[in-house]
C-alpha cells in the first residue's frame, strides 16, 4: 500500500495524473484591479468625475460598481443619500432605476421563450386579444401637422420581437407625439407616478389607442416593455412582481430589487433631485410633478397603492444587485452556478434586432446620451457607426430617466453600473464615468 501511494504521489508530482480541480471562486468576489488588467491608480479617476458633479450640486450622490473577468474591482459611494438630512450615501443605497427595468422584463420574456411558452415571432394578439386589428395614426401631411391625421389599419400584427426591439409603433406619453393626448385621456400611465389599478388594465386601455407608426417601420421608444410585463403575467399566470422575485431576483441573489420597497428599506432610498431654477438641484416634491407631457413622482417606490407593476420602469435596485444581473448576462445567462438563460438567448438579446433602422433616425445621441445606435431585445447596442467614445463595438447598455445607467462589454468582459437620482437625466456624467473605467484598462 505504501508503495502504491508513493507511486501515485510521484506520478502526480510529474504531472502524469491530473490533480483535483481547485474550487471555483464565487462570482463577483472582490479582487485588486491589477489582477484583471486594470490600473488601481487610474480607475480612481472615477472619484474625480463623480465628486466634481457632487461638489457642483448637480447630483446629491451616487454609487459606482465595476466588474471585470467575473470579479468585483470597484465599488464606491459618493456624496449624500439625501441633501436635506445630510445622510451619507451607502454603497447599498436603493435607487429608482426606471427604464433599467426593461432588460429585466426582457429576460423574463426570454425565460418563457426557452420554456416553449412563447415564440419571438408570435403576434401579441395571440395572448392579448385586444391587440388584434389595431389602427395607426398617419399624418395627412407630414410637413404640416396642423392638417391632422387619419386612422388606417396596421399593415401587420405586432409581434413579440417588435415589443422587445421597440418597433411596434407604441409610444410614450412623455414624448409628446400626436398620440400622447390620447394616452393621457385614456389614463395610460408611463409608470413614473403612483398608478392605481393593474398593468393589465393599463395595457388594455393602450390597445384601444392608435399606434404612432406602422409596426416594424421605425424605432419608437415606448410602453412596449410594459406590454411585455403584462404578457408575462398572462402566460405565466403570476403577477409580475412575484414572477420577477421567484424566477429572476431570488435565483440571482438580488435581495434589494423590487417594485415597492418595505418600511425597513425606506431609509436607504436615495432622494430624487430636480432643478431649482438657478442652475442647482433640490429635492423633488412628494406630489407628482408635470413638465409638459411628462409626469413623475419620487413616491412610486413607496406608493400606498401597490398593484401596478410597470415592466418598463417600475423597479428600484442597488448597484450590487444590478451588477449581479449584468454579470449573469456576461456569463451567458449564469451566475453562481445558477443558469437563468442559455448563452444563445443572451446572444440573441444582445444582437441587432432592428436591421437597417437606427435609433438615431428618431433620437439624436445628444437627446438620449449615446445609448447605442442599434437595439437588441431589451438593450441599446453600439455598432461600428455608433462607436463615438471609449468602449467596444458590441457593447450593450441602457439607462433610466432618473440618471441611472449600466454597460455590458462582452469583448472586455466588463460590466459597469452607475446609479444617481436626478431629473432631467445628465448623460454627460454617465459618459464620463464610463470613460474613466475604460481609460484604466491595461490589457
Amino acid at each position: 500500500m505504501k508503495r502504491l501511494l508513493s507511486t501515485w504521489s510521484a506520478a502526480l508530482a510529474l504531472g502524469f495524473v491530473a490533480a483535483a480541480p481547485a474550487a471555483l471562486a464565487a462570482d463577483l468576489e472582490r479582487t485588486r484591479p491589477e489582477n484583471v488588467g486594470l490600473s488601481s491608480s487610474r480607475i480612481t479617476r472615477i472619484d474625480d468625475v463623480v465628486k466634481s458633479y457632487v461638489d457642483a450640486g448637480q447630483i446629491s450622490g451616487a454609487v459606482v460598481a465595476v466588474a471585470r473577468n467575473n470579479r468585483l474591482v470597484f465599488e464606491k459611494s459618493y456624496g449624500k443619500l439625501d441633501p436635506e438630512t445630510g445622510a451619507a450615501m451607502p454603497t447599498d443605497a436603493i435607487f429608482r432605476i426606471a427604464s433599467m427595468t426593461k432588460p429585466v422584463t426582457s429576460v423574463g420574456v426570454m425565460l418563457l421563450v426557452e420554456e416553449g411558452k412563447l415564440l419571438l415571432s408570435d403576434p401579441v394578439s395571440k395572448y392579448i386579444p385586444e391587440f388584434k386589428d389595431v389602427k395607426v395614426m398617419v399624418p395627412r401631411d407630414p410637413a404640416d401637422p396642423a392638417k391632422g391625421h387619419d386612422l388606417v389599419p396596421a399593415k401587420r400584427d405586432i409581434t413579440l420581437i417588435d415589443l422587445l426591439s421597440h418597433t411596434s409603433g407604441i409610444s410614450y406619453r412623455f414624448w409628446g407625439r400626436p398620440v400622447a393626448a390620447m394616452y393621457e385621456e385614456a389614463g395610460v400611465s408611463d409608470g413614473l407616478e403612483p398608478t392605481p389599478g393593474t398593468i393589465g388594465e393599463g395595457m388594455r386601455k393602450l390597445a384601444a389607442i392608435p399606434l404612432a407608426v406602422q409596426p416594424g417601420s421605425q424605432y419608437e421608444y415606448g410602453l412596449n416593455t410594459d406590454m411585455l410585463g403584462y404578457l408575462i403575467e398572462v402566460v405565466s399566470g403570476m403577477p409580475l412582481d412575484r414572477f420577477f422575485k421567484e424566477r429572476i431576483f431570488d435565483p440571482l441573489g438580488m435581495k434589494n430589487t423590487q417594485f415597492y420597497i418595505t418600511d425597513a428599506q425606506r431609509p436607504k432610498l436615495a432622494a430624487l433631485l430636480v432643478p431649482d431654477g438657478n442652475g442647482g438641484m433640490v429635492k423633488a416634491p412628494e406630489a407628482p410633478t408635470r413638465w409638459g407631457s411628462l409626469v413623475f413622482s419620487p413616491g412610486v417606490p413607496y406608493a400606498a397603492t401597490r398593484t401596478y407593476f410597470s415592466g418598463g420602469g417600475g423597479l428600484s435596485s442597488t448597484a450590487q444587485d444590478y451588477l449581479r444581473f449584468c454579470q449573469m448576462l456576461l456569463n451567458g445567462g449564469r451566475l453562481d452556478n445558477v443558469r437563468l438563460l442559455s448563452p444563445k438567448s443572451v446572444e440573441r438579446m444582445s444582437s441587432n434586432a432592428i436591421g437597417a433602422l437606427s435609433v438615431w433616425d428618431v433620437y439624436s445621441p445628444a437627446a438620449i446620451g449615446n445609448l447605442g445606435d442599434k437595439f437588441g431585445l431589451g438593450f441599446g447596442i453600439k455598432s461600428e457607426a455608433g462607436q463615438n467614445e471609449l468602449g467596444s463595438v458590441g457593447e450593450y447598455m441602457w439607462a433610466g430617466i432618473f440618471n441611472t445607467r449600466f454597460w455590458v462589454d462582452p469583448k472586455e468582459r466588463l460590466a459597469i453600473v452607475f446609479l444617481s437620482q436626478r431629473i432631467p437625466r445628465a448623460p454627460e456624467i454617465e459618459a464620463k464615468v464610463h470613460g474613466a473605467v475604460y481609460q484604466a484598462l491595461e490589457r
Side-chain angles (χ1 to χ4, degrees):
M1 176 61 74
K2 288 182 179 179
R3 181 178 180 183
L4 178 61
L5 289 174
S6 176
T7 302
W8 179 266
S9 299
L12 181 60
L14 292 171
F16 296 139
V17 178
L24 292 174
D27 289 330
L28 292 176
E29 281 193 351
R30 188 181 292 271
T31 194
R32 294 181 67 247
E34 279 75 15
N35 292 337
V36 292
L38 285 159
S39 165
S40 290
S41 60
R42 291 175 70 89
I43 202 169
T44 59
R45 290 177 179 174
I46 295 172
D47 297 350
D48 298 331
V49 169
V50 180
K51 287 177 181 177
S52 70
Y53 285 96
V54 172
D55 292 345
Q58 292 305 299
I59 57 174
S60 176
V63 180
V64 180
V66 182
R68 194 182 193 205
N69 292 346
N70 215 27
R71 295 291 174 264
L72 178 66
V73 296
F74 188 94
E75 182 184 40
K76 197 165 183 178
S77 61
Y78 304 86
K80 304 297 183 184
L81 180 78
D82 187 319
E84 293 184 353
T85 67
M89 180 72 75
T91 55
D92 61 349
I94 297 171
F95 296 81
R96 304 158 189 82
I97 63 171
S99 287
M100 280 170 55
T101 304
K102 289 179 171 69
V104 178
T105 304
S106 300
V107 164
V109 171
M110 296 305 292
L111 290 174
L112 297 175
V113 169
E114 289 194 346
E115 292 169 358
K117 295 175 181 176
L118 294 170
L119 288 174
L120 293 175
S121 57
D122 280 341
V124 176
S125 60
K126 180 177 179 180
Y127 308 97
I128 306 172
E130 289 87 351
F131 269 81
K132 187 70 175 173
D133 300 324
V134 293
K135 305 294 185 184
V136 181
M137 183 178 281
V138 177
R140 291 174 184 147
D141 183 352
D144 185 1
K147 291 184 179 179
H149 298 76
D150 292 319
L151 297 184
V152 302
K155 293 179 180 178
R156 62 167 177 82
D157 285 331
I158 297 171
T159 64
L160 268 65
I161 204 165
D162 290 330
L163 294 178
L164 286 160
S165 62
H166 290 265
T167 56
S168 70
I170 294 172
S171 187
Y172 263 128
R173 189 175 77 193
F174 62 69
W175 286 127
R177 301 282 194 255
V179 294
M182 301 175 74
Y183 282 26
E184 183 151 5
E185 185 178 350
V188 175
S189 173
D190 287 336
L192 300 177
E193 60 182 310
T195 304
T198 66
I199 191 68
E201 291 167 351
M203 295 302 98
R204 287 191 293 273
K205 292 176 185 175
L206 182 64
I209 300 172
L211 303 177
V213 293
Q214 287 285 350
S217 66
Q218 179 178 297
Y219 178 85
E220 176 70 20
Y221 188 58
L223 286 160
N224 299 276
T225 321
D226 286 71
M227 181 61 66
L228 289 170
Y230 177 42
L231 182 73
I232 288 173
E233 292 192 338
V234 170
V235 175
S236 71
M238 285 191 274
L240 191 59
D241 65 334
R242 183 179 150 204
F243 182 92
F244 278 177
K245 185 176 189 308
E246 293 183 8
R247 300 299 309 277
I248 300 175
F249 300 152
D250 285 352
L252 295 184
M254 297 171 68
K255 298 177 181 178
N256 288 293
T257 304
Q258 61 282 300
F259 283 105
Y260 298 104
I261 61 175
T262 65
D263 290 341
Q265 291 173 314
R266 180 84 180 260
K268 288 193 174 181
L269 180 66
L272 176 64
L273 303 191
V274 295
D276 64 3
N278 297 307
M281 304 292 289
V282 294
K283 190 173 178 179
E286 288 293 306
T289 298
R290 174 179 287 274
W291 293 347
S293 299
L294 172 65
V295 181
F296 64 91
S297 168
V300 172
Y302 46 86
T305 302
R306 299 182 167 217
T307 55
Y308 195 89
F309 307 125
S310 169
L315 288 176
S316 299
S317 189
T318 64
Q320 297 101 320
D321 273 13
Y322 211 89
L323 193 67
R324 293 185 67 79
F325 180 76
C326 292
Q327 189 63 56
M328 176 274 294
L329 296 170
L330 264 181
N331 290 347
R334 178 200 59 76
L335 188 74
D336 285 337
N337 295 317
V338 173
R339 178 158 295 285
L340 216 62
L341 289 175
S342 157
K344 297 305 290 185
S345 292
V346 177
E347 179 185 310
R348 182 66 190 93
M349 293 182 73
S350 55
S351 300
N352 177 24
I354 62 175
L357 297 175
S358 172
V359 172
W360 296 352
D361 292 339
V362 181
Y363 311 105
S364 70
I368 64 173
N370 194 24
L371 290 170
D373 59 314
K374 296 296 183 181
F375 206 86
L377 305 184
F379 321 106
I381 302 168
K382 286 183 183 176
S383 74
E384 191 74 45
Q387 184 62 17
N388 57 9
E389 60 184 40
L390 297 183
S392 302
V393 172
E395 186 181 0
Y396 54 98
M397 71 225 65
W398 207 239
I401 197 170
F402 300 127
N403 216 54
T404 63
R405 181 83 177 263
F406 78 93
W407 300 261
V408 174
D409 185 341
K411 181 179 179 181
E412 295 293 346
R413 299 293 300 161
L414 185 67
I416 309 167
V417 175
F418 166 82
L419 301 180
S420 186
Q421 296 282 260
R422 59 162 280 161
I423 186 170
R425 184 172 144 250
E428 72 276 6
I429 305 176
E430 307 160 7
K432 288 180 181 179
V433 169
H434 177 263
V437 175
Y438 276 85
Q439 63 82 38
L441 291 173
E442 294 193 315
R443 57 176 169 83

